[in-house]
Amino acid sequence: MIIDFHTHVFPSAIAEKTINALQAKSNSTPYTNGTVEGLLQNMKNAGVDISVALPVLTKPTQFESVFNFAKSINEQFAFTKEKIISFAGMHPYAENIEQKMALIKENGFKGVKIHPDYQATDINDERYIKILKCAKENDLIVVTHSGVDDGFPNEPVRCSAEMVAKVIDKVNHDKFVLAHYGANRQWEKALELLAGKNVYFDTAYTFENIDREIFIKILEKHDTDKILFATDCPWQDMKINLKELYSYGLDPVMLDKILYKNARKLLRL
């Protein structure tokens, strides 16, 4: 089994427009068209069984539309062998955060995605602390972008390794996931400040950018029960990422944890 813990899909009506805008902003080349069908094809090509779709709210008013789209995905794949599990999205400036988080839980979602850069808010802002505390109370996973975002090359990093280290200590939520292996393009800081803490790292958008030596150092220092295989599809290709991971020659027990066992336990599958 293989679980990709970090992917993105968009409604068919807006997928092309959204992908084109994100491609231009981040100077990235997508590997799918951003639709559910595109994600399924990438999964099939790579032999991936389950993908976790992570929606991002760029405005607090998008909560309902994103919630409904994510819920429709979960309903569509509730009883299928090949599966996409969508999280909900949350915005730090959303109204009634406690009620929204409770609604997310009541509707069977496994977790929420936040993105400090696209939401123009630092991860140590009290609004994010509130979201994390509500997630802890509702037993929900929180995935955040961490480190540099390529779409914001000349702007301050909203979720730096230094910031998120303090947030981890303050909230201590054991279902908190830092995308991009702790902190994208800040991996030395991730090794120094984040590896070994009570937090998950996913590998999204990592293998084609990280130095192999620092990848192994983080892996050795961090709890291998808290590493999740992820690609950031459509911005990375699953098959290519799997080939990179296999090239590290990891112990089979450790590899199985990264590929699916850790994610399966976290998602309670």
Side-chain angles (χ1 to χ4, degrees):
M1 175 178 279
I2 301 174
I3 298 175
D4 187 334
F5 206 86
H6 187 140
T7 69
H8 302 284
V9 291
F10 308 96
S12 297
I14 65 167
E16 182 178 2
K17 180 180 178 181
T18 304
I19 285 289
N20 288 341
L22 292 170
Q23 180 179 358
K25 183 174 179 60
S26 63
N27 195 30
S28 302
T29 302
Y31 285 85
T32 82
N33 62 2
T35 65
V36 167
E37 293 74 21
L39 176 58
L40 288 172
Q41 187 59 54
N42 203 261
M43 291 168 63
K44 183 178 180 179
N45 291 344
V48 170
D49 302 278
I50 299 171
S51 286
V52 178
L54 302 174
V56 175
L57 304 186
T58 56
K59 301 175 183 177
T61 53
Q62 294 172 337
F63 176 83
E64 185 175 0
S65 61
V66 170
F67 178 94
N68 290 335
F69 176 61
K71 187 177 179 181
S72 73
I73 290 175
N74 291 337
E75 291 171 349
Q76 178 182 348
F77 292 96
F79 303 106
T80 59
K81 183 179 179 182
E82 199 170 38
K83 193 179 292 292
I84 300 174
I85 299 171
S86 184
F87 282 19
M90 183 53 69
H91 196 286
Y93 283 86
E95 296 180 353
N96 304 314
I97 285 176
E98 295 95 336
Q99 292 92 325
K100 284 182 168 64
M101 294 293 281
L103 180 67
I104 288 166
K105 178 67 174 181
E106 289 167 10
N107 280 268
F109 286 93
K110 303 286 187 179
V112 299
K113 171 71 186 296
I114 56 176
H115 198 307
D117 298 276
Y118 277 95
Q119 295 171 340
T121 309
D122 292 344
I123 190 62
N124 55 358
D125 188 283
E126 284 302 316
R127 298 172 182 85
Y128 280 133
I129 300 299
K130 186 175 186 178
I131 290 171
L132 282 161
K133 287 182 176 178
C134 286
K136 188 175 181 179
E137 291 169 4
N138 287 283
D139 195 31
L140 290 168
I141 302 164
V142 177
V143 181
T144 184
H145 174 90
S146 186
V148 176
D149 189 291
D150 290 354
F152 299 83
N154 301 313
E155 298 184 29
V157 177
R158 294 286 194 172
C159 186
S160 68
E162 292 88 349
M163 288 178 183
V164 78
K166 294 177 181 177
V167 171
I168 293 165
D169 292 340
K170 185 173 185 177
V171 181
N172 193 32
H173 179 31
D174 61 8
K175 291 189 173 183
F176 190 25
V177 181
L178 303 182
H180 316 302
Y181 212 51
N184 186 48
R185 304 188 190 279
Q186 295 185 326
W187 291 299
E188 292 284 354
K189 286 291 186 181
L191 174 63
E192 176 188 353
L193 301 173
L194 301 173
K197 285 188 174 292
N198 182 29
V199 68
Y200 285 84
F201 293 169
D202 82 28
T203 65
Y205 212 80
T206 297
F207 291 111
E208 294 188 9
N209 300 305
I210 196 170
D211 180 81
R212 294 173 72 90
E213 183 179 354
I214 192 69
F215 183 93
I216 293 297
K217 284 183 178 179
I218 291 172
L219 189 64
E220 290 174 344
K221 185 177 178 182
H222 200 53
D223 184 351
T224 56
D225 289 342
K226 292 184 178 293
I227 303 289
L228 307 164
F229 173 71
T231 64
D232 213 354
C233 181
W235 307 111
Q236 293 280 288
D237 178 72
M238 293 177 178
K239 192 172 184 178
I240 293 172
N241 273 227
L242 284 167
K243 183 179 179 181
E244 289 287 334
L245 177 59
Y246 292 146
S247 75
Y248 281 84
L250 302 179
D251 175 84
V253 173
M254 182 186 297
L255 186 61
D256 281 349
K257 288 182 179 182
I258 296 169
L259 286 175
Y260 74 95
K261 286 187 175 180
N262 294 341
R264 190 170 64 181
K265 182 178 180 181
L266 182 58
L267 293 165
R268 292 185 175 175
L269 300 180

